[in-house]
């Protein structure tokens, strides 16, 4: 009996609407399955708050479904609401359609344009148009959103996420959060008194009762959304929190927008030069004076330029990422003292005795002991290592052959698809000239595919010959 799988997806961020729409899709899929096949789906895969424009491997549940379909000997039935749930990227949708039709995967869209659509039995001439419309919808929506955000930034409306020390109003205003006003002022004052960022974090953890940004954000999230924040909440003040607050000009009452710009859907954010920023002086109530902010920036620059770390540049610690604290199990972090490299517990480095005791070890000491250990291991496992090396070579050869076979199958399928598409386009051509253009275009592409198939086949034959030769030697 064929397996029946369902898939539901939505990319909005309002939780209640999300689950309502997801539930609607699940109900449509379940009802169709019971009515058509007499039973419920074996499993419904759900991607909540996931874009349909991104690659399938970045959509967790769909990628799991896709791999399940690929690995199944008897291809399952897959149910979705419509084409837009499959993908809003025309290229991705067309590729999936071609592959699943080739493998006879029965994809049924239970409510495509108001009626069920089966890719194996229904006419798919309009599919390309539908998926293209879906893609244009995403791009147009994305453009409108970017234009709206840009317009708000030009007006001095605050659109960024929560800012420690302030409460964001519904109309893009900022009001001082009195609960942590003193925390920001204390951090600036301590820095001017000579404390560094690590020392300030330690002092706040020991002597003050201020909530850190992570705790404040978690409480805001719980209050506004009625559920706990997904990411872990940091209990103590840490160096990066202090550094961020000390660099933020927002605390002077100045709002700066348009610092970054994103081009296209899911494009990378590009940092813009200062001259392209939008500055709004006296935008909101300040927590510290502009004079104090300027003094702190000057002081931070002087301290950075005077440190040996700044002058020498970053040291590449050999065992970075490998060292663990023997007391608490935290990672080891590198530091340099009098020209020598050491590692210490990250918990101690950040929180001092709040989480661990002082432990450090020199890089030279680790290297000396590692050499002794490796020599001892070499003597003990000499024969085993020799056999492992031989097996590794064999395994690598087999891996290369498997990869080439997969690539060869892929190119052969592309070749077949190209031939079918060529026949389709020739049948639609209305003139001799148009047919000649199609023939010339496909001739070059088909020739290239044939060459690729021949090259991979030749390479595979050579690898097979080597394998047979190895078998004879072993005999």
């Amino acid at each position: 009996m064929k397996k029946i799988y369902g898939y539901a997806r939505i990319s909005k961020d309002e939780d209640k609407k999300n689950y309502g729409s997801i539930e609607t899709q699940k109900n449509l899929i379940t009802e169709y399955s019971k009515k058509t096949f007499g039973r419920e789906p074996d499993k419904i895969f759900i991607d909540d708050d996931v874009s349909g424009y991104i690659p399938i491997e970045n959509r967790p549940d769909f990628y799991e479904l896709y791999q399940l379909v690929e690995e199944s000997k008897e291809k399952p039935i897959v149910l979705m609401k419509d084409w837009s749930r499959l993908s809003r990227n025309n290229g991705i949708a067309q590729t999936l359609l071609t592959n699943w039709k080739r493998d006879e995967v029965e994809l049924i869209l239970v409510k495509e344009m108001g009626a069920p659509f089966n890719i194996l039995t229904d006419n798919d001439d309009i599919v390309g148009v539908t998926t293209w419309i879906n893609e244009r919808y995403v791009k147009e929506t994305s453009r409108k959103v970017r234009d709206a955000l840009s317009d708000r930034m030009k007006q001095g409306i605050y659109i960024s996420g929560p800012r420690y020390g302030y409460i964001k109003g519904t109309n893009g205003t900022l009001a001082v959060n009195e609960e942590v006003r003193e925390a920001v002022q204390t951090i600036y004052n301590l820095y001017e008194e000579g404390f560094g960022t690590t020392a300030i974090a330690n002092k706040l953890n020991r002597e003050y009762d201020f909530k850190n940004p992570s705790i404040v954000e978690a409480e805001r999230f719980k209050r506004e959304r009625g559920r706990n924040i997904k990411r872990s909440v940091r209990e103590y003040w840490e160096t990066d929190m202090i550094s961020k607050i000390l660099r933020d000009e927002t605390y002077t009452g100045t709002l700066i927008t348009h610092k970054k710009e994103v081009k296209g859907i899911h494009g990378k954010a590009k940092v813009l030069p200062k001259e392209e920023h939008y500055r709004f002086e006296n935008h909101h109530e300040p927590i510290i004076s502009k004079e104090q902010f300027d003094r702190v920036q000057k002081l931070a620059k002087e301290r950075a330029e005077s440190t040996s770390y700044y002058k020498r540049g970053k040291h590449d610690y050999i065992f970075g990422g490998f060292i663990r604290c023997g007391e608490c199990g935290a990672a080891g972090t590198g530091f340099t003292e009098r020209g020598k490299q050491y590692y210490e517990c990250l918990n101690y480095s950040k929180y001092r005795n709040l989480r661990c005791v002082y432990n450090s070890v020199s890089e030279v000491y680790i290297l000396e002991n590692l050499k002794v250990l490796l020599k001892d291991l070499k003597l003990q496992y000499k024969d085993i290592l020799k056999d492992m090396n031989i097996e590794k070579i064999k395994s690598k050869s087999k891996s290369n052959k498997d990869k080439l076979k997969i690539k060869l199958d892929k190119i052969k399928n592309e070749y077949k698809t190209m031939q079918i598409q060529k026949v389709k386009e020739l049948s639609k051509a209305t003139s001799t000239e148009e047919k000649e253009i199609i023939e010339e275009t496909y001739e070059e592409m088909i020739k290239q595919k044939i060459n690729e198939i021949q090259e991979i086949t030749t390479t595979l034959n050579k690898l097979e010959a080597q394998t047979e030769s190895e078998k004879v030697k072993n005999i």
Side-chain angles (χ1 to χ4, degrees):
M1 184 183 291
K2 278 189 175 184
K3 291 282 187 181
I4 302 174
Y5 297 125
Y7 176 71
R9 181 192 63 78
I10 199 162
S11 56
K12 291 183 180 178
D13 195 36
E14 297 97 322
D15 290 344
K16 291 179 181 177
K17 291 182 181 179
N18 268 10
Y19 287 107
S21 184
I22 288 290
E23 286 302 317
T24 301
Q25 292 178 52
K26 283 170 64 179
N27 290 338
L28 283 170
I29 290 166
T30 302
E31 286 172 15
Y32 180 86
S33 182
K34 286 162 70 176
K35 183 179 178 181
T36 308
F37 304 107
R39 60 193 175 96
E40 294 187 0
D42 294 283
K43 183 176 179 180
I44 297 180
F45 296 83
I46 297 169
D47 278 323
D48 189 17
D49 194 18
V50 176
S51 170
Y53 194 81
I54 59 178
I56 60 172
E57 56 267 25
N58 294 338
R59 293 157 58 185
D61 263 39
F62 184 79
Y63 191 54
E64 184 184 343
L65 169 63
Y66 177 77
Q67 288 181 310
L68 198 60
V69 171
E70 291 293 299
E71 293 166 5
S72 301
K73 289 182 180 179
E74 185 181 20
K75 297 304 181 186
I77 297 166
V78 180
L79 306 177
M80 298 182 197
K81 178 176 174 282
D82 54 37
W83 278 118
S84 65
R85 299 308 91 199
L86 176 69
S87 179
R88 285 194 182 275
N89 182 305
N90 188 37
I92 294 173
Q94 289 289 348
T95 302
L96 283 168
L97 173 64
T98 302
N99 292 345
W100 281 4
K101 282 188 72 174
R102 178 198 67 212
D103 297 336
E104 296 187 344
V105 178
E106 194 170 359
L107 170 62
I108 301 174
L109 309 170
V110 301
K111 209 170 180 61
E112 176 60 31
M113 299 182 75
F117 179 91
N118 189 321
I119 67 168
L120 297 184
T121 58
D122 293 322
N123 190 322
D124 64 356
D125 285 348
I126 200 168
V127 169
V129 176
T130 305
T131 55
W132 178 82
I133 290 170
N134 285 332
E135 181 171 343
R136 292 308 308 164
Y137 166 78
V138 175
K139 289 183 176 179
E140 183 65 16
T141 302
S142 176
R143 184 191 63 77
K144 287 178 179 177
V145 169
R146 290 198 305 273
D147 288 348
L149 290 176
S150 178
D151 186 56
R152 288 169 71 85
M153 283 190 284
K154 287 177 183 176
Q155 296 177 44
I157 298 172
Y158 183 79
I159 60 172
S160 300
R163 188 65 55 99
Y164 184 75
Y166 288 97
I167 298 169
K168 182 180 176 181
T170 53
N171 56 349
T173 58
L174 289 173
V176 175
N177 182 353
E178 296 298 340
E179 186 182 15
V180 295
R181 179 200 287 265
E182 190 181 346
V184 176
Q185 293 171 337
T186 300
I187 289 168
Y188 273 83
N189 291 338
L190 288 173
Y191 195 80
E192 282 200 284
E193 289 172 19
F195 289 88
T197 52
T198 302
I200 293 173
N202 291 330
K203 196 171 181 66
L204 292 181
N205 288 327
R206 286 196 181 93
E207 302 175 19
Y208 295 86
D209 193 29
F210 299 134
K211 293 176 181 178
N212 69 36
S214 183
I215 293 172
V216 171
E217 169 57 8
E219 289 178 351
R220 181 201 66 80
F221 192 92
K222 175 81 171 178
R223 186 171 57 252
E224 292 181 5
R225 304 205 183 189
R227 59 186 175 89
N228 292 329
I229 198 167
K230 287 182 179 179
R231 61 176 178 267
S232 59
V233 179
R234 294 192 277 179
E235 183 181 356
Y236 299 106
W237 281 92
E238 297 183 21
T239 304
D240 65 298
M241 298 176 182
I242 307 298
S243 298
K244 187 175 181 181
I245 289 170
L246 289 172
R247 293 194 304 267
D248 195 343
E249 201 172 347
T250 307
Y251 298 115
T252 67
T254 299
L255 177 67
I256 303 173
T257 64
H258 200 236
K259 293 181 181 180
K260 295 179 182 179
E261 190 174 65
V262 179
K263 295 286 186 182
I265 305 169
H266 304 294
K268 289 185 178 180
K270 176 188 173 185
V271 179
L272 298 172
K274 284 187 176 182
E275 53 268 23
E276 293 185 29
H277 295 176
Y278 305 146
R279 287 182 63 89
F280 300 91
E281 305 284 344
N282 304 315
H283 175 270
H284 50 270
E285 182 185 349
I287 295 177
I288 61 164
S289 69
K290 291 181 181 179
E291 292 75 21
Q292 185 177 26
F293 180 81
D294 291 339
R295 290 197 305 269
V296 165
Q297 304 318 300
K298 183 180 178 183
L299 191 56
K301 186 178 179 182
E302 289 171 356
R303 288 183 187 179
E305 291 176 351
S306 66
T307 59
S308 56
Y309 177 88
Y310 182 91
K311 291 176 181 176
R312 282 201 312 270
K314 187 178 179 180
H315 175 77
D316 291 323
Y317 293 96
I318 298 170
F319 300 103
F322 295 98
I323 301 295
R324 290 280 166 183
C325 175
E327 293 286 340
C328 67
T333 182
F335 70 96
T336 301
E337 190 174 87
R338 297 177 184 175
K340 294 182 180 180
Q341 283 70 51
Y342 297 85
Y343 298 89
E344 69 176 355
C345 170
L346 185 61
N347 269 339
Y348 181 82
S349 176
K350 283 186 174 183
Y351 310 108
R352 292 302 188 254
N353 293 326
L354 286 170
R355 285 196 175 176
C356 195
V357 296
Y358 179 68
N359 282 307
S360 72
V361 61
S362 72
E363 198 168 79
V364 172
Y365 178 81
I366 298 173
L367 284 169
E368 288 173 350
N369 282 274
L370 181 61
K371 287 177 186 176
V372 173
L373 175 64
L374 291 175
K375 285 179 182 178
D376 186 45
L377 287 172
K378 185 178 178 182
L379 290 172
Q380 286 185 50
Y381 301 100
K382 186 177 180 181
D383 293 335
I384 295 173
L385 289 169
K386 184 179 179 182
D387 292 339
M388 283 174 63
N389 191 42
I390 293 168
E391 289 301 319
K392 187 178 178 182
I393 293 168
K394 290 180 181 177
S395 176
K396 188 176 180 181
S397 175
K398 184 178 183 302
S399 175
N400 286 340
K401 282 193 289 184
D402 290 342
K403 286 178 181 177
L404 283 171
K405 284 177 182 177
I406 292 169
K407 188 176 180 181
L408 182 61
D409 288 341
K410 180 175 176 287
I411 294 171
K412 282 181 177 179
N413 287 327
E414 289 174 355
Y415 173 77
K416 289 177 186 176
T417 304
M418 205 176 285
Q419 291 280 26
I420 293 167
Q421 191 64 28
K422 175 186 172 184
V423 173
K424 280 186 178 180
E425 293 194 22
L426 282 171
S427 66
K428 294 176 183 177
T430 56
S431 67
T432 305
E433 184 181 356
E434 189 177 347
K435 286 182 179 180
E436 287 176 357
I437 292 170
I438 293 169
E439 286 282 3
E440 288 175 9
T441 304
Y442 275 94
E443 183 181 359
E444 184 62 33
M445 291 192 294
I446 290 170
K447 185 179 177 182
Q448 184 182 344
K449 290 296 173 189
I450 292 171
N451 288 338
E452 288 178 16
I453 291 169
Q454 289 173 344
E455 286 175 9
I456 294 173
T457 304
T458 302
T459 306
L460 277 171
N461 290 336
K462 287 179 181 178
L463 288 172
E464 289 290 348
Q466 286 176 6
T467 304
E468 291 300 321
S469 177
E470 287 293 329
K471 287 181 181 177
V472 172
K473 284 182 184 178
N474 290 335
I475 294 169

